[in-house]
């Protein structure tokens, strides 16, 4: 995302603070954070540590 010029506001970069949290619109995320609740994982994403299977369309 940095290489693409997307401005994030990361702090911990370890998936624990939540400052980089964003939404996602479609795709299959692989959540690796320790911040989001089970419900939030259906529509929110922590990009500093999480990944995706294939393409994930973010809501920035
Ligand atoms: S920068 Fe802290 S969770 Fe992403």
């Amino acid at each position: 995302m940095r290489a693409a010029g997307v401005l994030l506001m990361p702090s911990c970069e370890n998936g624990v603070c939540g400052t980089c949290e964003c939404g996602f619109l479609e795709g299959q995320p692989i959540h690796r954070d320790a911040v989001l609740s089970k419900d939030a994982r259906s529509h929110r994403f922590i990009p500093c540590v999480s990944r995706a299977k294939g393409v994930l369309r973010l809501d920035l």
Side-chain angles (χ1 to χ4, degrees):
M1 291 174 69
R2 282 188 182 131
V6 176
L7 178 61
L8 294 174
M9 301 299 285
S11 181
C12 71
E13 298 191 9
N14 285 305
V16 297
C17 74
T19 58
C20 66
E21 180 178 340
C22 65
F24 72 91
L25 302 171
E26 60 185 10
Q28 190 171 1
I30 302 170
H31 296 287
R32 295 181 174 168
D33 65 276
V35 178
L36 298 178
S37 67
K38 184 177 178 183
D39 287 345
R41 288 174 184 237
S42 67
H43 60 285
R44 304 298 291 172
F45 187 69
I46 300 292
C48 69
V49 292
S50 297
R51 300 294 181 262
K53 291 181 183 173
V55 175
L56 187 69
R57 187 170 157 217
L58 298 177
D59 184 11
L60 299 173

